Amino acid sequence: MAAPDWLPSVAGAPWTGGARAAPQPRLSWPLSPVPVVMKYFDAPETPYGAGHRGVDLAAVPGQEVLAADAGVVVFAGVVAGRPVISVDHDGGLRTTYEPVAPQVGVGAQVYRGQVLGTVLAGHPGCLVAACLHWGVRRGEEYVDPLALTGEVGEYRLKPWGGGP
């Protein structure tokens, strides 16, 4: 069956009249296989307010940490006593991974799925052998990494200030 003239063609992809393939998520998971989420994202109400600016993913010490998308390593060092890697991506996104023993250095161009380093034990509050804290910022705003993988995060209703 030929595709109708009005349907955009995609090279090498015949039109079957069935469902279209889902678009690739903006980011891929930084661990494989897809990990259990130990602690969900909780956006702070103010820039310096309390919250959880990423997700904690169950891991094992020494597990490979993968780049969530192509980008450039902009930081690989220690912050507040914990080793961190940060990668800038197209569209103003920056991903961070901690605690990670880095295998890449600042300025390295990385591809989606490339090994950045390995998970270290010792993430505060982790209830398993190791957790990877994975954070994402768009500019200065922290965003839920799970929303960019196509996964649904944990949602909480917050009081509306408008009254009854």
Side-chain angles (χ1 to χ4, degrees), residues 11-161:
W15 182 74
T16 61
R20 292 183 186 196
Q24 180 177 4
R26 176 63 176 93
L27 298 178
S28 63
W29 287 91
L31 297 173
S32 182
V34 172
V36 171
V37 178
M38 300 300 292
K39 188 171 183 179
Y40 286 90
F41 178 81
D42 182 18
E45 292 192 23
T46 65
Y48 301 104
H52 191 242
R53 293 164 173 82
V55 293
D56 290 347
L57 306 173
V60 295
Q63 185 173 353
E64 292 179 333
V65 176
L66 312 173
D69 199 11
V72 176
V73 176
V74 293
F75 184 81
V78 177
V79 175
R82 289 181 247 162
V84 176
I85 297 174
S86 295
V87 179
D88 277 357
H89 309 280
D90 286 345
L93 291 182
R94 175 176 287 182
T95 54
T96 58
Y97 314 81
E98 70 166 275
V100 177
Q103 293 179 8
V104 293
V106 172
Q109 296 218 358
V110 296
Y111 57 87
R112 184 183 194 109
Q114 179 177 339
V115 175
L116 299 176
T118 56
V119 177
L120 297 169
H123 184 65
C126 183
L127 301 176
V128 294
C131 283
L132 175 69
H133 178 83
W134 181 36
V136 178
R137 282 188 355 209
R138 180 177 286 118
E140 295 300 314
E141 176 188 7
Y142 287 90
V143 295
D144 184 352
L146 299 184
L148 300 173
T149 64
E151 294 289 321
V152 176
E154 181 178 80
Y155 294 94
R156 294 187 186 122
L157 296 177
K158 294 199 175 192
W160 178 47

